[in-house]
């Protein structure tokens, strides 16, 4: 993810600016109104209900059928096991595929959907199976094509079959639902009034789900530890286009509108799933090495987009040379009427119409490796997503010139010190997950690690990291062990010094 609040701080022009100008700008730029208290997104209304997000559901933000939360919610203990985000996910099963069938109309703030979830039970035996799902009127839940008992308690949809689920059992759950998405701030995203799917002025629709927003628009196991493939079958009124992850397979005309079928056959964390609806020009291209590029660009963004992506093909090949082959079937961007935020939605990056520049474009491209192909085992380790994406963006910008890179890193270091966040890089408070320190402190640590290891071991280690954990998740410890193997020496003290 990238916020304008952070983006705007670094108008450094490395090739021409002397050190004192760079430092001077940053010192001026990094005042108290920085990322520590991020600027609210202007285009989104401030939530009037549930202004204080709590760990579990706010009683005002869920359907009336839902009882108010208690001190020990009935679903306490249901978790995928991330200690940093214990309210998310369920460790008892593994989703293989989500099939999202939706009717959407920007003029009507309503989702009308049937979501089919196929997977396998991994726990020895579980009485119930829970999905993360906030709000909506549920019309029907089927287990293996038969109606099944369920309760919607707080933010969990709990499936209650007559017999327990057993290890190895394959299942298909189908949930039919409709309604207006609940608007509630995420406890991790201090700068937005809501997460998930947003409808804009009756004109367009976009999705911003990092880290816990996907449960606000479809039922899922909402944590990167459970990745799955996706199929989207989205119907919209004539004249509009649907953009999602992966490949556009088919477009079907019907009396009710136009249906777009997209498929993404690579494992994807649920927060990276996207559906964007609007009017776009489709642009197709390929990198010099042949990676398929397709973009969906709004009229208002065309000029900035063309300029920001002029070197995209070279950049994607350049990153592939350093980190390993580009991992997915295609890459591209979709521009949206959202203010000041972009997101690394897998294979189809969301760019805000008002925030299109080369820096953002490259940052989000780097996330295809760092965050998407290898995802976080715990949200606590966000520095590994944002620190690397910020560092790789800087590598591209400086063309990895050691002097320019060092100069920029020193300016990052000063800015982080000036900003004054005291929490450890490896353990940000939830409200500071997307903090200045996560991005720029993370990039400084990545640079220091590279200096410590030397280029051969550093890039060799990274390529091994992607070869080993690609398609899944990795923890900081697993990352460190891979880098130690490449380095040929322990790095535990070095990591502890930076992260703890
Ligand atoms: Zn990012």
């Amino acid at each position: 993810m990238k916020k304008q609040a952070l983006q705007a701080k670094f108008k450094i022009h490395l090739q021409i600016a002397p050190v004192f100008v760079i430092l001077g700008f940053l010192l001026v730029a990094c005042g108290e109104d920085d990322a520590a208290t991020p600027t609210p997104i202007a285009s989104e209304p401030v939530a009037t209900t549930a202004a204080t997000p709590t760990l579990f559901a706010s009683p005002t933000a869920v359907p009336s059928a839902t009882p108010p939360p208690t001190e020990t919610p009935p679903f306490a203990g249901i978790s995928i096991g991330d200690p940093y985000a214990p309210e998310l996910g369920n460790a008892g099963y593994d989703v293989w595929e989500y099939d999202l069938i939706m009717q959407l109309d920007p003029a009507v703030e309503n989702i009308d959907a049937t979501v089919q979830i196929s997977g396998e039970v991994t726990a020895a035996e579980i009485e119930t199976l829970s999905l993360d799902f906030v709000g909506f009127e549920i019309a029907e839940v089927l287990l293996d094509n038969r109606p099944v008992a369920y309760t919607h308690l707080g933010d969990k949809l709990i499936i209650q079959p007559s017999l327990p689920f057993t290890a190895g059992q394959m299942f298909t759950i189908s949930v039919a639902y409709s309604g207006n998405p609940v608007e509630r701030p995420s406890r991790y995203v201090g700068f937005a009034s809501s997460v998930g799917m947003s409808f804009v002025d009756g004109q367009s629709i976009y999705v911003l789900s990092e880290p816990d927003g996907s449960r606000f628009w479809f039922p899922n196991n909402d944590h990167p530890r459970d990745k799955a493939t996706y199929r989207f079958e989205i119907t919209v009124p004539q004249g509009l286009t649907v953009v999602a992850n992966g490949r556009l397979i088919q477009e079907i005309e019907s009396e009710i509108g136009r249906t777009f079928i997209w498929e993404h056959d690579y494992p994807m964390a649920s927060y990276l799933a996207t559906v964007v609806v609007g009017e776009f020009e489709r642009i197709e291209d390929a990198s010099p090495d042949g990676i398929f590029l397709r973009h969906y660009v709004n009229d208002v963004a065309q000029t900035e987009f063309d300029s920001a992506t002029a070197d995209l093909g070279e950049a994607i090949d350049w990153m592939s040379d350093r980190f390993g082959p580009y991992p997915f079937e295609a890459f591209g961007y979709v521009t949206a009427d959202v203010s000041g935020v972009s997101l690394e939605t897998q294979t189809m990056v969301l760019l805000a119409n008002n925030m299109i520049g080369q820096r953002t474009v490259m940052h989000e491209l780097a996330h295809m490796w760092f965050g998407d192909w290898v995802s976080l085992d715990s949200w606590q380790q966000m520095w590994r997503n944002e620190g690397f994406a910020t560092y790789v963006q800087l590598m591209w910008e400086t063309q990895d010139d050691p002097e320019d890179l060092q100069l920029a890193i020193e300016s990052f270091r000063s800015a982080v010190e000036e900003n004054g966040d005291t929490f450890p890089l490896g353990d940000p408070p939830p409200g500071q997950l997307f903090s200045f320190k996560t991005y720029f402190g993370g990039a400084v640590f990545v640079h220091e690690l590279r200096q410590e290891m030397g280029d051969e071991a550093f890039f060799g280690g990274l390529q091994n990291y992607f070869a080993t954990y690609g398609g899944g998740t990795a923890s900081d410890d697993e990352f460190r062990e891979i880098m130690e193997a490449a380095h040929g020496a322990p790095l535990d003290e070095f990591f502890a010094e930076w992260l703890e």
Side-chain angles (χ1 to χ4, degrees):
M1 189 191 276
K2 193 148 191 194
K3 293 178 292 181
Q4 201 161 37
L6 295 175
Q7 176 85 349
K9 305 308 173 194
F10 290 91
K11 304 276 186 197
I12 41 179
H13 302 285
L14 291 164
Q15 309 305 329
I16 53 169
V19 181
F20 71 89
V21 172
I22 293 169
L23 293 176
F25 179 85
L26 290 170
L27 292 172
V28 170
C30 299
E32 283 190 347
D33 62 338
D34 273 337
T37 50
T39 316
I41 295 173
S43 68
E44 293 185 7
V46 175
T48 51
T49 57
T52 309
T54 53
L55 183 58
F56 299 109
S58 155
T60 56
V62 291
S64 55
T66 305
T70 57
E71 282 192 359
T72 50
F75 46 87
I78 298 174
S79 172
I80 208 159
D82 179 354
Y84 190 76
E87 76 280 17
L88 297 178
N90 182 329
Y93 62 91
D94 175 27
V95 176
W96 297 343
E97 173 146 306
Y98 294 96
D99 191 352
L100 276 53
I101 303 163
M102 295 186 172
Q103 278 189 44
L104 297 172
D105 180 351
V108 184
E109 292 201 8
N110 181 74
I111 297 176
D112 196 351
T114 300
V115 169
Q116 290 175 3
I117 302 162
S118 47
E120 180 181 358
V121 175
T122 52
E125 184 177 294
I126 45 174
E127 300 276 324
T128 61
L129 188 154
S130 72
L131 295 157
D132 298 295
F133 193 39
V134 183
F136 298 105
E137 291 292 322
I138 295 174
E140 185 179 54
V141 180
L142 304 177
L143 174 63
D144 299 328
N145 296 316
R146 292 184 185 167
V148 64
Y150 65 92
T151 48
H152 199 182
L153 282 175
D155 298 344
K156 298 279 183 182
L157 171 60
I158 299 173
I159 317 292
Q160 301 165 301
S162 47
L163 294 171
F165 291 96
T166 53
Q169 182 180 340
M170 290 177 280
F171 62 82
T172 302
I173 292 168
S174 171
V175 183
Y177 61 96
S178 61
N180 186 345
V182 166
E183 281 190 33
R184 197 178 82 201
S186 162
R187 64 191 288 247
Y188 308 99
V189 189
F191 54 89
S193 60
S194 65
V195 287
M197 181 173 276
S198 292
F199 294 73
V200 187
D201 299 336
Q203 307 279 319
S204 61
I205 300 171
Y206 68 87
V207 163
L208 270 177
S209 291
E210 190 178 26
D212 61 341
S214 60
R215 60 192 177 142
F216 285 79
W217 63 287
F218 69 99
N220 67 95
N221 199 11
D222 199 359
H223 194 281
R225 287 189 193 184
D226 189 359
K227 293 186 177 186
T229 58
Y230 281 72
R231 180 179 175 277
F232 304 84
E233 183 180 326
I234 314 287
T235 304
V236 292
Q238 294 290 355
L240 293 173
T241 298
V242 178
V243 181
N245 311 86
R247 289 175 301 147
L248 176 62
I249 301 297
Q250 203 181 356
E251 290 179 45
I252 305 162
E253 296 274 5
S254 71
E255 282 179 4
I256 56 168
R258 195 172 181 88
T259 302
F260 294 77
I261 297 175
W262 286 79
E263 288 179 5
H264 185 39
D265 296 332
Y266 292 75
M268 177 164 73
S270 51
Y271 80 97
L272 298 170
T274 197
V275 169
V276 186
V277 177
E279 291 182 26
F280 307 102
E281 187 190 345
R282 180 181 161 105
I283 304 167
E284 285 193 14
D285 199 356
S287 79
D289 288 351
I291 291 162
F292 177 49
L293 306 172
R294 75 280 180 269
H295 314 294
Y296 288 80
V297 183
N298 194 285
D299 265 358
V300 303
Q302 192 72 59
T303 307
E304 288 80 6
F305 183 83
D306 290 347
S307 150
T309 56
D311 297 333
L312 175 67
E314 286 72 24
I316 200 167
D317 293 346
W318 188 87
M319 290 185 199
S320 301
D321 289 344
R322 279 153 187 79
F323 310 123
Y326 176 76
F328 308 116
E329 70 271 57
F331 179 72
Y333 301 91
V334 55
T335 70
D337 199 5
V338 48
S339 187
V341 186
S342 55
L343 185 64
E344 61 268 27
T345 33
Q346 194 159 303
T347 72
M348 186 61 82
V349 165
L350 182 86
L351 287 182
N353 279 334
N354 70 345
M355 188 184 160
I356 297 175
Q358 195 184 64
R359 203 163 276 162
T360 303
V361 158
M362 295 307 165
H363 177 102
E364 304 302 357
L365 171 61
H367 271 307
M368 293 304 111
W369 287 266
F370 297 96
D372 290 15
W373 186 227
V374 177
S375 303
L376 300 177
D377 180 67
S378 167
W379 285 115
Q380 182 180 335
Q381 300 163 1
M382 186 62 103
W383 74 269
R384 216 151 19 94
N385 276 13
E386 298 307 343
F388 268 105
T390 304
Y391 187 70
V392 173
Q393 155 204 335
L394 197 60
M395 281 175 64
W396 171 257
E397 201 171 319
T398 59
Q399 284 298 295
D400 213 15
D401 177 85
E403 274 182 37
D404 287 347
L405 194 58
Q406 189 67 41
L407 205 59
I409 286 295
E410 291 315 321
S411 70
F412 280 14
R413 199 192 314 269
S414 307
V416 172
E417 281 168 16
E418 192 70 16
N419 205 50
D421 290 329
T422 52
F423 57 83
L425 183 60
D427 190 14
Q432 297 289 317
L433 192 59
F434 298 98
S435 69
F436 199 85
K437 186 167 190 171
T438 305
Y439 288 74
F440 298 102
V444 174
F445 174 41
V446 169
H447 184 72
E448 292 295 335
L449 179 63
R450 180 180 177 184
Q451 304 309 306
E452 177 78 10
M453 295 177 69
D455 274 7
E456 196 180 333
F458 178 76
F459 289 106
L462 287 179
Q463 292 198 9
N464 196 17
Y465 172 65
F466 289 111
T468 305
Y469 294 105
T473 62
S475 66
D476 277 359
D477 283 346
E478 287 165 331
F479 172 67
R480 177 179 47 76
E481 283 160 17
I482 287 266
M483 298 310 264
E484 282 174 338
H487 186 44
L491 290 164
D492 49 344
E493 282 179 22
F494 186 78
F495 270 62
E497 198 179 301
W498 278 91
L499 295 177
E500 290 172 8

